Every structure is written in C-alpha cells, then in structure tokens.
Amino acid sequence: MTSILDELAAIRVLPVVVIDDPANAVPLAEALVAGGVSCAEVTLRTPRALEAMRLMSSVPGFVVGAGTVLSAQQAEGSVENGARFIVSPGISIPVIRASAALDVACVPGVASSSEVMVARDEGIRTLKLFPAAQLGGAAMISALRGPFADISFVPSGGIGIENAASYAIDGVASVSTSWITPRAEIVRGAFAETTERARRFRQEVAR
Ligand code: 3PG
C-alpha cells in the first residue's frame, strides 16, 4: 500500500498555500493538478483555512495537508476538515503524538541535528527542513544525511524557481515552496499562472 508520504514524494513538490477566501480553494487545487502538482499544504494562518482545506479535499486525486500546525487541537481540526498530513514549522511533541493518534503522517520542522534526533525518537523519518535556504540549503541536507541516512527531508523556506534545482538531490523527498502559489495571485484568481508555475517548478526539481 502506498503511504501518503510516498505519494508526496512521487509528486516531489509541495505548494504552501495561504488562502484568504475559500471560494478560491477548488480552482486553486484544479490549477495545481493541471500543472502536475496534485497536493498542497494549506497553512493555518488565515481565519478560513480549515474551510479551504475541506473544499480542496473534495477535488478528486488531490491530497491536502495542514501547515503551520502549532497545537494538537489544530491537528485534530485539520484532520476533521480533510487534511491527510500535518506539517509544523518546528518540533512539537503534542502535535507529533496527536497526529499519530489520528493516524495521519506528521512532518515536523527541524533546523539542527539535535532536532532530527528528537523527531527520530518519535519514530518520524520524513522531516521538514526549515528555513531551508537560511540554514544552508541543499548543502545542509547533504551534511545531515551523513549521520541520518534514514531521514528524508522536505526543504522549505526561501526556495523559488532560481534555486529549486539545487534540491534535486538524494535525501530530498519533496520540495516545499510558496513560489507556486503567491498569496496575491490567489486573491486575483490568476489560476492559469498557478498551473504554469507548478509545471515549471516541477521540472526544476525532477530527477
Ligand atoms: C512557510 O512556512 O512559509 C514555508 O516554509 C514556505 O516558505 P516560502 O514562503 O519561503 O516558500
């Protein structure tokens, strides 16, 4: 059986979405699918994020997860609204354990080898590296893979079309970015641009 993390790794790109109006959720998901990227992380940074998540989860073949999850309660609310994976910017043991209890994948953020070890102790093997560019980008991942060869990373933070290709390396499960889905473009309903950005970004990180 394919796990959700395998599905995300096959897509190789994880758009980070900040969505203000849930009316944009379905057209946005459809635009991403048209560009070959059938997943998104909806961040809990806007009042109507959960509604948007629920709507996106109804799009056939589209995998939606929750981002910026800072508490166990937020993890629960996200899963109730269709999230199939949970992403947090750092390590939160309550979020990791709530996700396990809900039987959904959790991708916590790490910024150091000590944090990798904390997550490993919780049984996690796929980690977000955040903020990736500021931490040294692909070179940081290669360095961490020395001691942690069993860990896959989802780099996130400061990744755009100009540096995406540097992450087409061993140890990267998927590349996370808001470059594909700028908040202002979503507000304008510029979904043809979303499709084009998805296609271009995916080409850059393909291996
Ligand atoms: C985030 O949490 O905002 C993500 O890491 C995306 O970062 P980016 O906006 O720099 O792509």
Side-chain angles (χ1 to χ4, degrees):
M1 199 186 78
T2 313
S3 75
I4 198 76
L5 294 176
D6 292 336
E7 278 185 53
L8 294 178
I11 301 167
R12 288 203 58 75
V13 177
L14 180 58
V16 174
V17 173
V18 179
I19 195 156
D20 295 284
D21 183 353
N24 289 324
V26 168
L28 180 66
E30 289 172 347
L32 288 168
V33 172
V37 175
S38 54
C39 64
E41 171 191 324
V42 176
T43 57
L44 300 185
R45 299 182 198 172
T46 54
R48 301 183 72 186
L50 290 177
E51 252 176 278
M53 211 179 280
R54 189 171 66 244
L55 290 165
M56 281 180 144
S57 71
S58 69
V59 174
F62 195 78
V63 178
V64 67
T68 325
V69 178
L70 306 179
S71 69
Q73 201 184 14
Q74 287 182 324
E76 285 156 13
S78 299
V79 171
E80 277 166 20
N81 283 282
R84 293 174 60 200
F85 61 96
I86 300 293
V87 182
S88 41
I91 298 277
S92 157
I93 300 297
V95 169
I96 291 173
R97 295 191 181 164
S99 303
L102 292 160
D103 204 24
V104 291
C106 182
V107 183
V110 296
S112 70
S113 51
S114 297
E115 291 165 13
V116 173
M117 292 180 70
V118 172
R120 271 188 102 263
D121 286 344
E122 293 292 317
I124 309 264
R125 294 292 180 271
T126 301
L127 293 170
K128 169 169 171 158
L129 181 73
F130 179 77
Q134 290 83 349
L135 290 167
M140 175 73 164
I141 292 171
S142 298
L144 287 170
R145 287 271 291 178
F148 305 116
D150 60 344
I151 299 288
S152 295
F153 292 92
V154 180
S156 187
I159 305 175
I161 197 74
E162 69 293 346
N163 56 0
S166 67
Y167 294 93
I169 57 167
D170 277 353
V172 171
S174 179
V175 181
S176 155
T177 184
S178 67
W179 182 84
I180 295 171
T181 50
R183 188 171 182 171
E185 266 185 23
I186 300 173
V187 170
R188 280 198 288 123
F191 300 120
E193 291 172 39
T194 311
T195 297
E196 189 48 30
R197 282 173 179 269
R199 194 173 285 133
R200 281 181 65 200
F201 195 93
R202 192 155 186 258
Q203 266 168 11
E204 289 297 308
V205 299
R207 299 198 65 201

